[in-house]
Amino acid sequence: MKTSEIMARLSAKYGDQKEFLQAVEEVLVSIEDVYNQHPEFEAAKIVERIVEPDRIVTFRVTWVDDEGQIQVNTGYRVQFNNAIGPYKGGLRFHPSVNLSILKFLGFEQTFKNSLTTLPMGGGKGGSDFNPKGKSDAEIMRFCQAFMLELWRNIGPDMDVPAGDIGVGGREIGFLEGMYKKLTREHNGVLTGKGLQYGGSLIRPEATGFGALYFVENLLKEHGKDIKGKKVALSGFGNVAWGAATKATQLGAKVVAISGPDGAIYNPEGMTQEKLDYMLELRASNNDVVAPFAEKFPDATFLPGKKAWSVKCDIALPCAFQNEMSAADAEELLANGTWLCAEVSNMGCQPGAIEAFQKARILFAPGKAVNAGGVATSGLEMSQNAMHISWKAEEVDQRLHGIMDSIHKACVQYGTQPDGYINYVKGANVAGFMKVAEAMLAQGVI
Ligand code: 2IT
């Protein structure tokens, strides 16, 4: 297998799918030499097969807004690969959603889910619907219309969607309600459900908590400790909140957070009141962090700035794909940052990763760092299948164990001859091997 040849073929076919091509190239570059030591992979055309989703479902979503106007959106479900378990992955509701983004996310999800140690395949879906400024009733009608089409394609042993950007507990509730109405089955077909109807404790916190458990492992591996370290993070959604909460609990100081309108310089770190306010801001649906500085006088609003302009030890992008550019990375490096852990999916542009790796600082990719979210979804599936619910401590302990094993797998497959751990390579190779071997075992399908 030659990455350049596969990429040339994919570019000719999907030239406009920039994010998808970016995600594929990152994985292929990492796995190329290991792959070529396995002639059985080459003979079975594993790479050619793994870069094509099993199938893509596209549908029209028609709904009526509060003014009585008919609105039309596009819905998708990309069922990428089910070699190791049912398709599993979130739904994203955001105006930027298109096939390139959902294919990149579904592709990443396949390897991420493989890393979790749980039997889950990869999928992703969503819509170009923009939840910003919509009333609860509009959100409900949209979710119902979306499920009216999606329901035939999902099932607890077939495909289990969850949340992603723009889809949280409220949306999962409306989606579950319509699924139940249509099928008359309450079977755990979605994860991220409310606790009253089959949800798992710790699921809302899991992505951010898991990321910090991964960071703890990474620091320990390098003889370091998180206590007293300065953390900068982006985003003020559920994931950023979970990361800020756990970082603070572990003794780090979250000195910067950023949203679309600018950054907050927060030299005193977080308090419970500030963490709660992060959630409040998010619920307001206004997409701004500026009010944070008005409410807390020890914090300063830096209009139009990113969190990366604040001096920190650890950078945690928690917002969106490609949110960190090479220039951002250079700014962090110049300020002495020595660890960057991607919490968002593909949060760093290739130039940023290159800059971090060239500077030999610690860098870990999203598919390893943020896998705690989907792993806890997997634990929600297990609880639903057994018709039981575990205590928070039990879920947290399992999440901890899973993040430990993901870190271990990265070290096993990513340690370079000079001792530097290439976590990108480690995560990609470890995630790939399991899926490839499962595909091989299952024949030509
Ligand atoms: O990117 C992700 O891993 C998620 N949005 C969570 C997916 C899930 O099925 O919980």
Side-chain angles (χ1 to χ4, degrees):
M1 181 267 279
K2 255 184 129 173
T3 298
S4 54
E5 282 171 15
I6 307 264
M7 288 315 298
R9 249 179 283 155
L10 278 179
S11 306
K13 211 166 157 184
Y14 303 119
D16 56 340
Q17 298 183 351
K18 299 277 177 295
E19 292 85 0
F20 173 59
L21 295 173
Q22 181 188 338
V24 171
E25 186 161 24
E26 184 212 281
V27 170
L28 296 194
V29 166
S30 297
I31 63 164
E32 186 169 330
D33 47 334
V34 178
Y35 189 89
N36 288 332
Q37 289 158 19
H38 289 264
E40 70 279 18
F41 289 168
E42 184 81 18
K45 295 251 189 318
I46 295 293
V47 152
E48 288 82 346
R49 288 157 62 188
I50 216 167
V51 297
E52 273 299 331
D54 289 353
R55 72 191 60 76
I56 299 174
V57 185
T58 314
F59 46 91
R60 190 188 68 235
V61 186
T62 319
W63 57 284
V64 179
D65 69 18
D66 286 348
E67 273 72 57
Q69 297 294 316
I70 295 167
Q71 299 287 341
V72 182
N73 288 99
T74 309
Y76 308 88
R77 186 71 182 165
V78 178
Q79 296 182 330
F80 220 103
N81 187 300
N82 68 352
I84 64 173
Y87 304 109
K88 179 85 198 87
L91 297 170
R92 177 175 291 192
F93 292 169
H94 192 273
S96 66
V97 162
N98 59 29
L99 263 189
S100 174
I101 289 177
L102 295 181
K103 279 176 68 182
F104 119 63
L105 289 165
F107 182 76
E108 290 265 305
Q109 198 81 45
T110 301
F111 304 104
K112 183 199 303 191
N113 293 3
S114 164
L115 283 171
T116 65
T117 72
L118 303 174
M120 300 184 290
K124 204 86 191 190
S127 174
D128 56 359
F129 171 73
N130 186 0
K132 210 174 142 186
K134 301 290 189 298
S135 69
D136 275 1
E138 286 175 323
I139 297 281
M140 181 179 76
R141 287 197 295 275
F142 176 80
C143 289
Q144 291 177 339
F146 184 88
M147 188 52 87
L148 215 40
E149 275 292 333
L150 184 67
W151 72 280
R152 285 187 189 277
N153 302 288
I154 60 174
D157 294 314
M158 187 197 296
D159 184 352
V160 183
D164 192 80
I165 293 167
V167 178
R170 174 181 59 168
E171 291 73 18
I172 293 293
F174 295 146
L175 290 162
E176 172 76 29
M178 186 50 112
Y179 180 85
K180 210 161 52 62
K181 182 90 178 164
L182 292 163
T183 60
R184 303 190 186 179
E185 286 185 10
H186 196 140
N187 55 17
V189 73
L190 294 157
T191 60
K193 297 184 293 296
L195 292 177
Q196 314 83 346
Y197 60 96
S200 175
L201 285 160
I202 308 287
R203 178 64 191 89
E205 299 90 329
T207 311
F209 278 26
L212 267 294
Y213 296 156
F214 188 93
V215 167
E216 268 194 304
N217 268 297
L218 191 149
L219 291 173
K220 199 162 150 215
E221 181 74 30
H222 293 86
K224 294 178 191 284
D225 184 2
I226 195 163
K227 278 198 188 65
K229 301 299 179 304
K230 293 192 171 101
V231 173
L233 55 84
S234 60
F236 67 119
N238 174 59
V239 173
W241 163 77
T245 302
K246 187 50 82 177
T248 306
Q249 276 176 17
L250 295 175
K253 201 174 248 193
V254 178
V255 294
I257 55 174
S258 61
D261 57 331
I264 299 288
Y265 174 51
N266 183 47
E268 304 301 322
M270 299 303 269
T271 57
Q272 192 55 49
E273 208 190 341
K274 286 178 177 173
L275 290 165
D276 292 345
Y277 190 63
M278 269 180 96
L279 279 190
E280 228 178 275
L281 269 181
R282 171 175 168 249
S284 74
N285 241 345
N286 282 331
D287 259 16
V288 286
V289 288
F292 192 99
E294 281 161 36
K295 194 168 161 71
F296 302 102
D298 60 321
T300 315
F301 181 52
L302 311 172
K305 290 267 187 201
K306 292 183 176 181
W308 322 133
S309 60
V310 174
K311 192 175 163 55
C312 66
D313 300 295
I314 299 172
L316 302 176
C318 302
F320 216 59
Q321 72 266 1
N322 286 327
E323 58 177 298
M324 189 178 296
S325 66
D328 294 330
E330 294 296 350
E331 187 169 15
L332 284 169
L333 289 169
N335 272 330
T337 299
W338 46 267
L339 162 60
C340 174
E342 252 183 0
V343 192
S344 42
N345 291 311
M346 208 165 77
C348 294
Q349 295 178 20
I353 301 179
E354 215 175 286
F356 291 141
Q357 290 182 336
K358 205 164 138 221
R360 283 291 204 248
I361 73 153
L362 302 170
F363 174 77
K367 65 171 78 66
V369 178
N370 75 28
V374 72
T376 308
S377 278
L379 300 176
E380 183 172 332
M381 287 166 73
S382 304
Q383 293 168 79
N384 291 167
M386 291 189 285
H387 303 281
I388 56 166
S389 38
W390 290 327
K391 291 190 172 70
E393 297 72 40
E394 182 153 7
V395 179
D396 196 38
Q397 198 183 355
R398 285 174 194 269
L399 169 62
H400 229 128
I402 289 169
M403 297 317 295
D404 293 354
S405 25
I406 296 174
H407 181 265
K408 220 168 168 184
C410 290
V411 173
Q412 185 190 336
Y413 288 100
T415 305
Q416 305 296 282
D418 66 357
Y420 179 71
I421 302 170
N422 182 337
Y423 281 87
V424 176
K425 180 167 186 167
N428 286 333
V429 173
F432 173 81
M433 289 305 276
K434 188 164 134 190
V435 181
E437 279 162 10
M439 287 173 71
L440 206 56
Q442 292 165 21
V444 181
I445 43 163

